[in-house]
Amino acid sequence: MPTLHSGPAVADATLEPARQRLASTMQRLLPGEGLLEAPVEGVTLFRAESDLNCTSSVLEPCLGFIVQGNKLMQFGDREMVYGPLNFLACSVHMPVTGHVLGASPKSPHLGIKLTVDPAEVSELVLELGERAPALESGGNCDDSSCGLRVARINRGILGTLSRLVELADTPADAKILAPLARRELIYRVLVSEMGPHLRKLSVADSQSSRIARVIGILQERYAEPLRVRELAGIANMSESSLYHSFKQVTRLSPLQFQKKLRLHEARRLMLAEGLEAASASYRVGYESPSQFSREYSRMFGAPPRADINKLRGGQSIPA
């Protein structure tokens, strides 16, 4: 049974009016279920009106903000629940499944995702100098190496987030102000309690950065046989250290991670390119279509054909 990690409680009730205003703005911008690419690079707004709208994906380094509703995130052997005025930071690419909880047309789930470039974080850390957050334990995972973390939204973060969303109403202003709002939001997170976790993106020789290099190779060569010795050399680690560190960060072994990458890509091939299950399984490195079907069903909750038909009949939101 996976360990349950709940998002931290909201400490400052005075933020509630501002949260409600932001929720109203998002509902106006998104009157129905779906996604909206905001006029800020890497920012997506999403709305869901039922618990069925969930997805399994490989989450890139990003910040995820819940404005209304709750979400259950599953990754490796972990589960994490977070809700309004909480936000999530992901420091490496991670296979995750996101489940919307308690959404309805009258009370939709509202969220915001901001992808983060490590170069942006590095630049801000250099500018902060001695004020830059130290690399230390923090957050709500069992150890400081976990690639996903949840923290409270503070007043500065909420104010910047609201201004960023409101720029969708004024595209002319957004052209000039959006990059500034994006930079300010990353800065606000960097100097918050989430700072030490986000800073991992900027440290070239941190454990997270080494594992990120390994993840990059796995993403490029997911269909090839797994060669742990080669991956350990890339990370400048022993094989045992790589295995231990990889599991600390991603909550998966390298082999489990590769399997999830293969299944995600097979799902994309069937959905976007119309491949049959057997063809997709061979394309991503499986030798046995029956083994592929079993593992696909365990991961996505239905056999390949049934899952793809369901996806084509409905819409999902980002994990």
Side-chain angles (χ1 to χ4, degrees), residues 18-27 67 112 158 161-162 165:
R19 183 201 67 80
Q20 291 181 5
R21 288 193 296 272
L22 177 55
S24 296
T25 300
M26 289 188 64
Q27 290 189 73
V67 179
I112 303 168
L158 182 58
L161 190 64
S162 298
V165 171

Side-chain angles (χ1 to χ4, degrees), residues 20-318:
Q20 291 181 5
R21 288 193 296 272
L22 177 55
S24 296
T25 300
M26 289 188 64
Q27 290 189 73
R28 177 173 54 76
L29 294 171
L30 269 172
E33 284 192 304
L35 310 176
L36 175 67
E37 298 296 331
V40 183
E41 183 180 357
V43 176
T44 303
L45 314 181
F46 52 89
R47 171 177 178 153
E49 297 182 351
S50 75
D51 293 358
L52 297 177
N53 287 22
C54 61
T55 190
S56 183
S57 65
V58 179
L59 195 64
E60 71 270 45
C62 67
L63 301 172
F65 303 89
I66 299 294
V67 179
Q68 183 167 286
N70 293 278
K71 179 177 277 190
L72 167 67
M73 297 290 287
Q74 296 175 315
F75 52 104
D77 61 351
R78 293 290 188 265
E79 291 185 345
M80 180 184 291
V81 176
Y82 68 120
L85 295 181
N86 291 159
F87 73 104
L88 173 147
C90 180
S91 61
V92 296
H93 285 78
M94 290 185 66
V96 301
T97 301
H99 298 271
V100 170
L101 304 175
S104 68
K106 289 185 177 181
S107 182
H109 176 91
L110 302 170
I112 303 168
K113 177 183 172 185
L114 171 71
T115 57
V116 178
D117 184 344
E120 295 176 291
V121 178
S122 297
E123 183 180 341
L124 283 168
V125 167
L126 287 174
E127 290 189 31
L128 281 168
E130 293 183 358
R131 291 183 57 213
L135 290 173
E136 59 186 15
S137 299
N140 65 320
C141 209
D142 283 344
D143 58 75
S144 61
S145 301
C146 186
L148 286 179
R149 200 67 63 84
V150 166
R152 291 181 295 270
I153 292 178
N154 60 34
R155 187 174 300 279
I157 292 172
L158 182 58
T160 308
L161 190 64
S162 298
R163 293 198 305 275
L164 185 149
V165 171
E166 289 165 0
L167 285 172
D169 283 326
T170 55
D173 292 340
K175 200 170 184 179
I176 303 299
L177 299 178
L180 302 178
R182 175 189 172 89
R183 177 179 170 84
E184 181 184 350
L185 183 58
I186 295 173
Y187 164 79
R188 296 281 184 187
V189 172
L190 193 57
V191 297
S192 74
E193 64 180 293
M194 187 68 87
H197 182 69
L198 189 62
R199 187 187 169 184
K200 293 176 184 178
L201 286 168
S202 71
V203 181
D205 199 40
S206 67
Q207 176 178 279
S208 290
S209 68
R210 293 185 183 189
I211 298 307
R213 290 199 294 271
V214 172
I215 289 173
I217 296 299
L218 288 174
Q219 289 178 307
E220 292 174 8
R221 296 158 55 180
Y222 59 85
E224 300 178 14
L226 186 68
R227 296 181 174 88
V228 176
R229 180 176 297 180
E230 180 182 353
L231 295 176
I234 291 169
N236 195 25
M237 294 178 169
S238 68
E239 292 182 34
S240 60
S241 293
L242 171 64
Y243 181 92
H244 178 70
S245 296
F246 197 98
K247 193 152 190 178
Q248 276 190 320
V249 172
T250 68
R251 317 311 306 183
L252 297 165
S253 69
L255 182 60
Q256 290 171 325
F257 192 97
Q258 183 192 49
K259 182 186 297 184
K260 287 183 178 290
L261 289 179
R262 287 178 168 182
L263 292 170
H264 279 296
E265 177 61 11
R267 196 187 206 196
R268 187 195 69 80
L269 290 170
M270 289 185 289
L271 186 62
E273 300 184 20
L275 265 63
E276 293 294 330
S279 298
S281 71
Y282 290 129
R283 180 85 71 87
V284 301
Y286 276 86
E287 296 180 356
S288 168
S290 60
Q291 180 187 1
F292 166 76
S293 184
R294 288 194 300 272
E295 294 183 352
Y296 189 103
S297 297
R298 281 198 294 269
M299 180 165 171
F300 297 115
R305 178 175 294 181
D307 177 59
I308 296 303
N309 287 339
K310 180 181 177 181
L311 288 174
R312 286 174 176 156
Q315 187 174 14
S316 60
I317 67 170

